[in-house]
Amino acid sequence: MRKTKTALWILMAAALLAVVALLVGAVRGDLREGEPDRSLPAAEWPGEDFEFVSRLPVLYFSVEDESKLYPDWTWSPDGPLMPPREETRADLYLFDRDENRLTDNPVRLLEGASLCLRGRTSSYMQQKKPFLLELRDEYGNPEDLSLLGLAPDSDYVLHAPYIDRSLIRNYLAYTLGAQVLEYSPGCAFAEVFVNEAGQPVEQADYAGVYLVVEKIKASPFRVDVGDYRVAPEPERQFEDGGGYIFKRDTYAEGYDDVLRLGPTQRGREYSLVNPKADEANPAQVERLEEELQFFEDVLYEGSDEELERYFDTDSFVNFLLLNEFLKNMEGFSSSTYFYRQEGGKLKASPPWDFDIAMGNSDYLGDLSNADGFFVLAGEYVAPYLEHPAFVEKLKQRWKELRAEDGAFSEEKIDEMIDGLNLLLADAAGRNDAAYPELWTDTIFGNAEGYVIENSGQDREMIREFLRRRGSWLDQNIDSL
């Protein structure tokens, strides 16, 4: 009898423990068998009235010094003076299941990462701040990891759609770019929280919907150019020299810590991306400037055959058409990258920064109008259009891209926007509520007086803009 009672008490105790375990699991997240507990520290646990669930991945940053990410700005007669960009330690809790709550156990905890402010105009004019994320190992060294299914690396950009109220312009551009270019930055949407370590998470820590993007850099999984070197003989540089990345951008004192290349004989100036400014020696810089001058001379003075020999004209055609179709205000004049692989031709891409494309700007002419050539009418593109073979290739490629099942067809664009509307439905509503000024004010960069009620309306504006844009180009591409 005593044994029976003992067994009964054991069963009751086991049942009670099971109930407690279920309750704890409900509070501390659904721990799968063998999965370590990475839950938020107790001090950062959200209050009972904090309800949050997302179908998007969620990135929760517990940062050491949040003030470094939201610095104060000083002003001069010429405009804002950017404060020093300072990084802060950030422990990254990654939630990436069908439904994600901060009270769940995250799928990954990446401790000791680095987060810092990035961008020029966006970093001071936006309430929603863009960041640069570097993943690090336990010793503080950069660690190459895949984040949200993107190519493994230590560096990621957390793009903050704000001027782009639709949230999708860069996603559309990079996704379309991936279909026509050798490399276009991989990207994925996520909802982001930034919280001071040791403080309970609150609604104010919700930063909104972000686009996590592969940072443009030399890497086997990104722009694979290898290492740059100076060939023993200058005339052998094109065949024997190593690869590099450079870009055309706008420059302002106090903003840029890049190495400038040029100006060329025709006044063009570029900045070096790879090799990095602190890694390039004077001999390399001199030879790089010679190469850029060589390419410029071929472009302006060379024959169609020479252009084809030294330029990857397919990449230039696809890159130009991508920027023209999306009517990118900065296309080929700013945030424009070029690269050359070892012993290879000069290539245009990767695409970058389409916030004020697709009808979203009017301060360089009426870019909200879907009609008219813009990128192809610019001064930087004019010398390419002096090569008849290049122009013919441009026309034929446009027709291929717009054909049934072509990458730029109306059906493909509609399909992408429909899918994004479904993906972002709930998250976009939270982002809209977090930044109410977007729906009452004209935001810098946007067309004057263009006031909408929510991000969904802007996505539908993009759909209509690209329909009209594609139709106009169909009818006018042969006039080039």
Side-chain angles (χ1 to χ4, degrees), residues 4-17:
T4 302
K5 287 184 178 180
T6 301
L8 183 59
W9 277 110
I10 291 173
L11 287 173
M12 291 175 64
L16 179 61
L17 288 172

Side-chain angles (χ1 to χ4, degrees), residues 258-406:
V258 297
L259 177 61
R260 308 278 183 87
L261 299 174
T264 64
Q265 292 174 6
R266 296 171 181 83
R268 303 292 188 245
E269 191 173 25
Y270 304 93
S271 57
L272 185 61
V273 177
N274 183 80
K276 295 179 181 179
D278 58 355
E279 296 173 350
N281 62 52
Q284 289 177 322
V285 172
E286 181 180 359
R287 191 61 59 83
L288 280 164
E289 292 185 328
E290 291 173 356
E291 286 194 65
L292 294 183
Q293 186 61 59
F294 170 78
F295 284 120
E296 184 180 90
D297 291 341
V298 170
L299 175 61
Y300 278 85
E301 302 171 5
S303 64
D304 283 2
E305 291 74 19
E306 288 174 311
L307 187 73
E308 192 70 34
R309 178 182 175 187
Y310 295 108
F311 287 68
D312 184 334
T313 55
D314 287 343
S315 78
F316 277 82
V317 162
N318 285 322
F319 189 70
L320 283 169
L321 290 175
L322 175 69
N323 280 274
E324 185 66 64
F325 177 43
L326 303 183
K327 209 170 189 181
N328 182 18
M329 194 208 78
E330 297 185 320
F332 239 70
S333 62
S334 182
S335 298
T336 301
Y337 287 80
F338 306 89
Y339 67 97
R340 187 168 84 82
Q341 293 164 316
E342 181 179 348
K345 300 179 180 182
L346 184 66
K347 299 185 179 185
S349 69
W352 192 254
D353 197 357
F354 285 73
D355 275 7
I356 44 182
M358 302 174 231
N360 202 31
S361 171
D362 67 356
Y363 65 85
L364 276 186
D366 190 6
L367 271 75
S368 59
N369 184 349
D371 295 352
F373 291 113
F374 181 75
V375 176
L376 292 172
E379 61 171 317
Y380 292 108
V381 180
Y384 293 90
L385 302 186
E386 294 298 318
H387 293 267
F390 184 88
V391 174
E392 188 59 31
K393 181 179 282 191
L394 197 74
K395 295 176 183 178
Q396 294 306 312
R397 181 56 172 156
W398 172 255
K399 293 169 185 176
E400 293 171 6
L401 292 171
R402 287 286 291 173
E404 186 176 357
D405 290 331

Side-chain angles (χ1 to χ4, degrees), residues 230-251:
V230 175
E233 301 174 10
E235 59 271 18
R236 294 292 301 171
Q237 186 66 32
F238 185 80
E239 291 80 5
D240 298 338
Y244 56 94
I245 308 169
F246 65 100
K247 70 175 179 175
R248 175 181 290 132
D249 214 337
T250 52
Y251 303 103

Side-chain angles (χ1 to χ4, degrees), residues 52 191-194 202-209 427 430-431 434-435:
F52 176 84
E191 292 191 84
V192 171
F193 286 82
V194 179
E202 300 175 347
Q203 186 62 45
D205 300 313
Y206 175 72
V209 174
R430 287 188 286 272
N431 186 89
Y435 299 98

Side-chain angles (χ1 to χ4, degrees), residues 163-169 172 358-360 417 420-422 424-425 428-429 431-432 438-441 446 449-468:
I163 293 174
D164 169 23
R165 292 175 286 181
S166 76
L167 306 174
I168 69 169
R169 282 181 169 84
L172 281 174
M358 302 174 231
N360 202 31
I417 294 176
L420 289 168
N421 280 336
L422 287 173
L424 296 173
N431 186 89
D432 291 357
L438 293 175
W439 323 115
T440 58
D441 304 335
N446 295 163
Y450 179 49
V451 177
I452 53 180
E453 295 180 358
N454 55 59
S455 59
Q457 289 183 7
D458 204 20
R459 291 192 288 277
E460 290 309 308
M461 189 282 284
I462 291 174
R463 187 199 303 271
E464 180 58 29
F465 178 88
L466 292 180
R467 283 177 178 171
R468 291 185 284 114

